[in-house]
Amino acid sequence: MKGEIITIGNELISGRVLDLNAWYAAGRLTASGLKVTRVTTVGDDPEKLSSAIRDAVEQSQFVIITGGLGATEDDITNEIAAKTLNRPLCLDREMLEQIKEYVQLRGMRMSASLEKMARMPQEAKPLNPKGNVCGFSLVENKVRLYFLPGVPDQMRYLLDEFVLPEILTHCKTLPVLRHRLLKLYGLSEPKIAEVLKKLPEKPDKIILGFYPHFPENHVTISLRGEDESTVIKELDKMEKEIRELLGSYIFATGTQSMEAVVGELLRRKGLSISVAESCTGGLIGNLLTDVPGSSDYFLGGAVVYSNTAKVELLDVSPATIEAHGAVSDQTVREMSGGVRVKFGSAIGVGVTGIAGPEGGTSEKPVGTVHVGLATEKEIFSRKYRFWGTRKQVKLNTAMMALDWVRRYLNGNPFLPGV
Amino acid sequence: MKGEIITIGNELISGRVLDLNAWYAAGRLTASGLKVTRVTTVGDDPEKLSSAIRDAVEQSQFVIITGGLGATEDDITNEIAAKTLNRPLCLDREMLEQIKEYVQLRGMRMSASLEKMARMPQEAKPLNPKGNVCGFSLVENKVRLYFLPGVPDQMRYLLDEFVLPEILTHCKTLPVLRHRLLKLYGLSEPKIAEVLKKLPEKPDKIILGFYPHFPENHVTISLRGEDESTVIKELDKMEKEIRELLGSYIFATGTQSMEAVVGELLRRKGLSISVAESCTGGLIGNLLTDVPGSSDYFLGGAVVYSNTAKVELLDVSPATIEAHGAVSDQTVREMSGGVRVKFGSAIGVGVTGIAGPEGGTSEKPVGTVHVGLATEKEIFSRKYRFWGTRKQVKLNTAMMALDWVRRYLNGNPFLPGV
């Protein structure tokens, strides 16, 4: 089945905002075996929008339209769609009730501009009748049109939960397209490509994709075929061969995050953790607590930005800081050990470093980072050197600390330092 | 002058690659005072490309076309452009020499597919005759068409160095386009729209844009005009009127973040800060330390996820937690006061709440959050209720805590709680 995407917004047409909606929708539709033939972006401009809808209806079997469904005066999609398709705008009672409920729950007042959101072209159906995200579908000359909000989270939710499943029920024989996504940390993209040259010859139809996703690197394995079980078998074989070459650099598959992998390991082993953060400023704790249920194993952390805080909160010895500096193996060892004792956790992790852009010296340049990990029996520490902006150094440091926990719990060696 | 952008490539239409070329070109053209009315993306598909070119020529004064100029078999732009415009493909001697030179320099051999790159529609002119980046322009019915490579570096180079200057020489009086971006926190989009209805009648040419950017809301003011100083004056006037209506909800303009605004206020007043985080897990510290130089005012924080940690690290009284629970005004007051004393900072900020998805009760549902702020003289606290995913509740809580600091330092009242 062939389809088109129309994205709407002055912020897109003027280059102020990158059009992630078109990219996301195109990727999801393609991955489902559907073919996207055109993406058209127009501003909040009645004439251009109208002609884009008319064109798409003439040439496609489905059309995804995002943006302009909101309550403000620049939201014109409902009105223009109705005009273009020669349908009256009708008030959808169900949608109106939904908006009212949403508004009431948040202690807001109903208004004419909010009511506008419930006016849709005749015979349009709300996509998500029980939810509180607006969006609707309608059929014109056998072409299925889906109108979604421009807010990326809402667009993605409706596309994945309602639009894709509905389009797919109207496809008779769809080729099977399956992907694997492997997430790696600690190997650069050229290095990964070099290692994978050692792969045994792969079937022509298997496509490997390489996507840097700072500070991770993602490798995709894609295969299209007639028969699902054959496709899965070939993907399994290829994944196994890649795993043999890349080993413990692969930390997750699919949508799993590093912090979820670490959380799962801690939970499985019944271990608790606490963190001592200097240059990351709280990022490690923030990542760990992004995982639902993390309070089962994450006891807390100390963000010790100043030297006084390191001494006061974690019992780091002033003599250690004096002799070796706050950014040193010795300090990070005392931070990791100190936070472990303070919180009474099985594992204590510590990081200290220079995130930049200021604060570097020739001996300890920006990006110098020390990571430590303490258990009841031993303390490990190592020095790393990262490159990039302040936020990139922080993120790489946090990922390295989490990777240490993963490798420690899996019995893998830590990544080599400098 | 009005124009369009056409981007070409299967990698774009399938969502495998994000279309940075369209975004870059749209931004550069808009910033130069030109108006982009539509962006069309098609695959390496003769029919779709041909109709996109035909459409654009009918409706625009200039067209930027990127992609498909290379030597591989999926590069069809030159051929399709010639067919669509009913012109023969002619070998450009100058371009051919250039390609030969490039090839020789790199020790490659000339081939038919490389020669293909020098065949352009009749009367087309190479954009960059002395360089080694292919691209050409032609004029059809007074419409200027520019064909650029899809490789982002090359596209940007030709656009900035050759295309933009040439288009601009054909503009007689170029309109000036200026934007303002106002960032708001604590008012929903419909509320903002409602409040702005009270604006005195605005000049027709001023365009207001509304962009939710969770948990912030952004309002843009755009104006196009003949003369820069008049445009700026009118924007100033409009901004002032909007500020009168939205007051302290506006926390920043342009690219400034909440954490940068808070940091700037702390620095200006010579005050230091520390944070006590429960449900945010370190996010507030992480945001504050994203700002370069934040070590000047940020002393650190305690991530006290467990009750024991609240007691041990921040001297919260176990009796308080026992009597009112960890998620309560009483606890957050002791957390804020405790962290302030522990770190010796001028201001102590605390948050405690239920981020979800588990852990809610009928009395304290998911999204219940208490914020506290302590100074040497007094302690404030208030209860809020947020909606959304775990990450959204965390982010909203962190933003609210930062907004408290901003409002406290500016002498504005805190946002009303529940």
Side-chain angles (χ1 to χ4, degrees):
Chain A
M1 254 174 117
K2 288 180 181 184
E4 302 200 16
I5 298 166
I6 299 173
T7 56
I8 306 163
N10 285 337
E11 76 280 17
L12 303 176
I13 213 75
S14 63
R16 204 174 62 73
V17 168
L18 191 55
D19 191 356
L20 292 172
N21 282 347
W23 167 75
Y24 184 82
R28 297 288 293 144
L29 292 162
T30 306
S32 305
L34 300 159
K35 194 170 164 70
V36 177
T37 61
R38 181 167 57 183
V39 177
T40 308
T41 307
V42 295
D44 306 315
D45 170 338
E47 206 177 305
K48 287 280 171 191
L49 175 55
S50 185
S51 96
I53 294 175
R54 218 176 302 119
D55 267 21
V57 168
E58 270 169 29
Q59 299 183 30
S60 309
Q61 293 163 286
F62 65 88
V63 188
I64 313 285
I65 298 146
T66 74
L69 300 189
T72 55
E73 61 169 14
D74 57 359
D75 292 309
I76 56 170
T77 305
N78 296 26
E79 188 194 330
I80 299 305
K83 269 193 196 154
T84 307
L85 306 171
N86 289 317
R87 303 184 184 207
L89 263 184
C90 303
L91 188 70
D92 186 280
R93 298 271 157 213
E94 205 171 7
M95 183 82 96
L96 185 67
E97 283 314 307
Q98 205 178 292
I99 294 170
K100 278 186 179 161
E101 202 176 294
Y102 178 92
V103 160
Q104 211 167 24
L105 207 70
R106 278 158 180 70
M108 292 153 56
R109 259 181 315 167
M110 200 59 198
S111 67
S113 51
L114 280 165
E115 197 179 294
K116 182 179 96 167
M117 294 167 72
R119 294 190 187 278
M120 310 187 303
Q122 196 169 36
E123 285 181 28
K125 275 185 241 157
L127 278 171
N128 178 23
K130 297 264 171 286
N132 47 33
V133 176
C134 291
F136 57 88
S137 70
L138 55 84
V139 181
E140 172 84 12
N141 292 338
K142 292 191 184 163
V143 181
R144 317 192 74 82
L145 288 92
Y146 298 92
F147 293 82
L148 307 178
V151 182
D153 282 353
Q154 299 180 3
M155 193 288 292
R156 292 178 185 201
Y157 168 70
L158 289 184
L159 184 80
D160 289 341
E161 296 295 319
F162 298 94
V163 177
L164 267 176
E166 196 189 295
I167 297 180
L168 293 179
T169 60
H170 295 279
C171 294
K172 274 172 205 113
T173 55
L174 199 67
V176 179
L177 177 64
R178 291 290 174 271
H179 299 283
R180 288 287 154 78
L181 171 62
L182 305 178
K183 294 183 170 181
L184 289 89
Y185 178 69
L187 263 196
S188 68
E189 201 186 325
K191 271 262 175 68
I192 295 170
E194 200 185 310
V195 171
L196 290 186
K197 279 189 185 149
K198 295 181 202 135
L199 272 182
E201 196 142 343
K202 67 171 169 60
D204 267 358
K205 281 186 178 168
I206 287 193
I207 296 168
L208 294 183
F210 300 90
Y211 305 100
H213 194 278
F214 186 86
E216 308 169 12
N217 272 292
H218 296 178
V219 173
T220 59
I221 322 169
S222 308
L223 180 60
R224 204 183 279 270
E226 294 309 314
D227 163 55
E228 167 134 21
S229 72
T230 316
V231 167
I232 297 286
K233 232 165 82 183
E234 288 206 53
L235 282 181
D236 284 345
K237 188 165 163 261
M238 181 55 61
E239 181 177 337
K240 195 170 159 250
E241 286 168 358
I242 290 178
R243 281 186 180 277
E244 271 163 24
L245 291 170
L246 294 172
S248 64
Y249 287 105
I250 301 172
F251 68 86
T253 51
T255 55
Q256 236 189 345
S257 64
M258 177 69 93
E259 52 272 21
V261 169
V262 167
E264 189 49 43
L265 282 169
L266 288 167
R267 182 186 299 280
R268 209 188 306 151
K269 297 192 185 252
L271 298 174
S272 61
I273 195 170
S274 60
V275 296
E277 307 192 50
S278 181
C279 60
T280 46
L283 177 55
I284 304 174
N286 180 42
L287 290 171
L288 281 168
T289 59
D290 273 349
V291 182
S294 44
S295 55
D296 293 347
Y297 48 80
F298 177 66
L299 302 188
V303 181
V304 285
Y305 229 52
S306 65
N307 286 347
T308 319
K310 289 179 184 72
V311 174
E312 289 284 316
L313 267 86
L314 299 178
D315 296 329
V316 173
S317 140
T320 303
I321 299 179
E322 178 81 21
H324 306 282
V327 178
S328 65
D329 257 13
Q330 290 81 356
T331 298
V332 89
R333 293 175 79 86
E334 294 191 21
M335 285 169 63
S336 318
V339 81
R340 198 193 73 77
V341 170
K342 201 82 185 178
F343 282 87
S345 57
I347 295 173
V349 170
V351 298
T352 180
I354 300 155
E358 306 297 326
T361 63
S362 58
E363 204 195 333
K364 294 178 183 178
V366 168
T368 303
V369 166
H370 293 258
V371 178
L373 187 152
T375 66
E376 205 185 339
K377 287 192 190 141
E378 48 195 340
I379 299 185
F380 307 89
S381 63
R382 201 166 279 180
K383 179 178 167 185
Y384 293 95
R385 174 76 198 279
F386 298 125
W387 275 263
T389 63
R390 179 178 179 86
K391 282 192 190 184
Q392 285 174 327
V393 171
K394 285 179 69 185
L395 189 54
N396 229 332
T397 305
M399 274 292 278
M400 184 61 85
L402 293 174
D403 195 50
W404 268 48
V405 182
R406 179 184 72 93
R407 287 173 172 272
Y408 174 75
L409 295 176
N410 280 333
N412 299 133
F414 302 127
L415 289 173
V418 290
Chain B
M1 258 175 114
K2 288 182 182 183
E4 302 200 16
I5 298 166
I6 299 173
T7 56
I8 306 163
N10 286 337
E11 76 281 14
L12 303 176
I13 214 76
S14 65
R16 202 171 61 71
V17 168
L18 192 54
D19 192 355
L20 294 171
N21 282 348
W23 168 75
Y24 184 82
R28 297 288 293 141
L29 291 162
T30 306
S32 304
L34 301 159
K35 192 171 165 71
V36 177
T37 61
R38 180 165 59 180
V39 177
T40 307
T41 308
V42 295
D44 306 316
D45 170 337
E47 207 177 304
K48 288 280 171 190
L49 175 55
S50 185
S51 97
I53 294 175
R54 215 175 305 119
D55 267 22
V57 168
E58 270 170 28
Q59 299 184 28
S60 309
Q61 292 163 284
F62 65 89
V63 188
I64 312 287
I65 298 148
T66 75
L69 299 190
T72 57
E73 60 170 13
D74 58 359
D75 290 309
I76 57 170
T77 305
N78 296 24
E79 187 194 331
I80 299 303
K83 270 193 196 156
T84 307
L85 306 172
N86 289 318
R87 303 185 185 206
L89 263 185
C90 302
L91 189 70
D92 188 279
R93 298 270 156 215
E94 206 170 6
M95 182 81 94
L96 185 66
E97 285 313 310
Q98 205 179 293
I99 294 170
K100 277 186 180 163
E101 201 176 300
Y102 179 90
V103 160
Q104 214 169 19
L105 211 68
R106 278 159 184 71
M108 293 151 57
R109 262 182 313 169
M110 199 60 197
S111 67
S113 53
L114 281 165
E115 196 180 296
K116 183 178 96 168
M117 295 167 71
R119 294 190 185 277
M120 310 187 307
Q122 197 170 36
E123 286 182 26
K125 275 185 238 155
L127 278 170
N128 178 25
K130 297 263 171 284
N132 48 32
V133 176
C134 290
F136 57 89
S137 70
L138 55 81
V139 180
E140 172 82 13
N141 290 338
K142 290 190 184 166
V143 181
R144 317 193 75 81
L145 288 91
Y146 298 93
F147 294 82
L148 308 178
V151 183
D153 283 353
Q154 298 180 3
M155 193 289 293
R156 292 179 186 199
Y157 168 70
L158 289 184
L159 184 80
D160 290 340
E161 296 296 317
F162 299 93
V163 177
L164 267 175
E166 196 189 296
I167 297 180
L168 294 179
T169 60
H170 294 279
C171 293
K172 272 169 209 117
T173 54
L174 194 68
V176 179
L177 176 63
R178 291 291 175 269
H179 299 283
R180 289 285 154 82
L181 170 62
L182 306 178
K183 294 184 171 181
L184 288 89
Y185 177 70
L187 262 196
S188 67
E189 198 187 326
K191 270 260 176 70
I192 295 170
E194 203 185 309
V195 170
L196 290 187
K197 281 193 180 140
K198 295 181 204 134
L199 272 181
E201 197 139 347
K202 67 175 167 57
D204 267 356
K205 280 186 181 171
I206 287 193
I207 297 170
L208 296 182
F210 301 89
Y211 308 100
H213 194 279
F214 185 87
E216 307 170 10
N217 273 292
H218 296 179
V219 173
T220 59
I221 322 168
S222 307
L223 179 60
R224 206 181 279 272
E226 297 308 314
D227 162 56
E228 167 134 22
S229 73
T230 316
V231 167
I232 298 284
K233 233 165 82 183
E234 287 207 52
L235 282 182
D236 284 345
K237 187 164 164 262
M238 181 55 60
E239 181 178 338
K240 194 169 158 247
E241 285 168 359
I242 290 178
R243 283 186 178 276
E244 270 163 23
L245 291 170
L246 293 172
S248 63
Y249 288 104
I250 301 171
F251 68 85
T253 50
T255 55
Q256 236 189 346
S257 65
M258 177 69 92
E259 53 272 21
V261 169
V262 168
E264 189 50 43
L265 282 168
L266 288 166
R267 181 186 300 279
R268 208 187 308 151
K269 299 193 184 247
L271 298 174
S272 61
I273 194 170
S274 60
V275 296
E277 306 192 49
S278 181
C279 60
T280 46
L283 177 55
I284 304 174
N286 180 43
L287 289 172
L288 281 167
T289 59
D290 273 349
V291 182
S294 44
S295 55
D296 293 348
Y297 48 80
F298 177 65
L299 302 188
V303 181
V304 286
Y305 228 53
S306 66
N307 286 347
T308 320
K310 290 179 183 73
V311 173
E312 288 286 315
L313 267 85
L314 299 178
D315 296 329
V316 173
S317 140
T320 303
I321 299 180
E322 177 81 22
H324 307 281
V327 177
S328 65
D329 257 13
Q330 290 81 353
T331 298
V332 88
R333 293 176 80 86
E334 294 191 20
M335 285 169 63
S336 318
V339 81
R340 197 193 75 78
V341 170
K342 202 83 187 178
F343 282 85
S345 56
I347 295 174
V349 171
V351 298
T352 180
I354 300 156
E358 306 297 326
T361 63
S362 58
E363 204 195 333
K364 294 177 182 179
V366 168
T368 303
V369 166
H370 293 258
V371 178
L373 188 152
T375 66
E376 204 185 338
K377 288 194 188 136
E378 49 196 338
I379 300 185
F380 307 89
S381 64
R382 200 166 282 180
K383 178 178 166 183
Y384 293 95
R385 173 76 196 279
F386 297 126
W387 277 264
T389 63
R390 180 179 179 85
K391 282 193 192 184
Q392 286 175 326
V393 170
K394 285 178 68 184
L395 188 55
N396 228 332
T397 305
M399 274 292 280
M400 185 61 85
L402 294 174
D403 195 51
W404 268 48
V405 182
R406 179 183 72 93
R407 286 173 173 272
Y408 175 76
L409 295 176
N410 279 333
N412 299 133
F414 302 128
L415 289 173
V418 291

